[in-house]
Amino acid sequence: MADGHVIVHGERGCKGKSQTLKPGAYDTSALDDNDFISSVTIPKGWMVTLYEDSKFGGRSTTLSATGDVGDDFDNITSSLTVSSPEKEAIVKVGGVHKDGKGGTITIEQNDVDVDSKSLLRLTQRFPPRYEQIMVLSFTMVIEQPDT
């Protein structure tokens, strides 16, 4: 069993090619291969959220136990987050505005001792739209470049 990290596997049954991940956010470029995950090994109390698209977009599913990711997420994951009881994953969402200037939004959960199934997700880039599930104490910092 993984201790101190999550293992993503390329085949069902926690077999095949694997990659070990510590708590954090992993976009396509941080994963060994795009769309290769079929199963995960997850330590007790940890959470893994799989996203269909890169940059934490598209459909998502949150897993909290070792096993297959399910038919609807088999070999389609392009980004993911890993959270442990001690460290909640932080996702930075950034992009370029139509005027060519960009910014970054950082969302961090303040209290990691609460149910980590809370979600604040960017569902549309411009104009920005968000989906929020479950209200928790969090800090949100929006940084804009100097004009």
Side-chain angles (χ1 to χ4, degrees):
M1 175 57 79
D3 188 29
H5 56 271
V6 162
I7 303 171
V8 293
H9 306 272
E11 295 179 19
R12 292 177 186 241
C14 297
K15 296 178 182 172
K17 179 179 179 173
S18 64
Q19 183 176 357
T20 301
L21 305 171
K22 294 182 178 184
Y26 298 86
D27 202 359
T28 306
S29 62
L31 297 173
D32 287 346
D33 285 315
N34 186 29
D35 298 340
F36 88 97
I37 300 171
S38 292
S39 57
V40 292
T41 303
I42 304 174
K44 184 176 180 180
W46 288 50
M47 304 289 284
V48 175
T49 301
L50 307 175
Y51 296 88
E52 182 176 21
D53 299 332
S54 64
K55 299 182 182 175
F56 314 98
R59 295 181 306 135
S60 66
T61 187
T62 300
L63 307 170
S64 60
T66 294
D68 295 344
V69 299
D71 291 339
D72 55 340
F73 269 84
D74 191 24
N75 294 317
I76 68 160
T77 300
S78 294
S79 55
L80 62 92
T81 60
V82 175
S83 299
S84 72
E86 296 82 33
K87 183 170 170 115
E88 183 73 18
I90 299 171
V91 176
K92 288 191 175 187
V93 180
V96 177
H97 187 273
K98 65 181 180 179
D99 64 5
K101 297 177 183 172
T104 301
I105 300 172
T106 303
I107 302 168
E108 182 174 3
Q109 186 172 323
N110 290 340
D111 186 357
V112 297
D113 294 331
V114 296
D115 184 8
S116 59
K117 290 184 181 177
S118 64
L119 173 68
L120 180 62
R121 179 173 47 192
L122 180 68
T123 59
Q124 179 178 313
R125 291 179 192 249
F126 187 81
R129 258 192 207 158
Y130 301 90
E131 172 186 25
Q132 182 175 3
I133 300 172
M134 214 170 149
V135 178
L136 294 174
S137 174
F138 67 91
T139 302
M140 182 164 141
V141 178
I142 301 175
E143 298 174 17
Q144 291 273 346
D146 294 333
T147 55

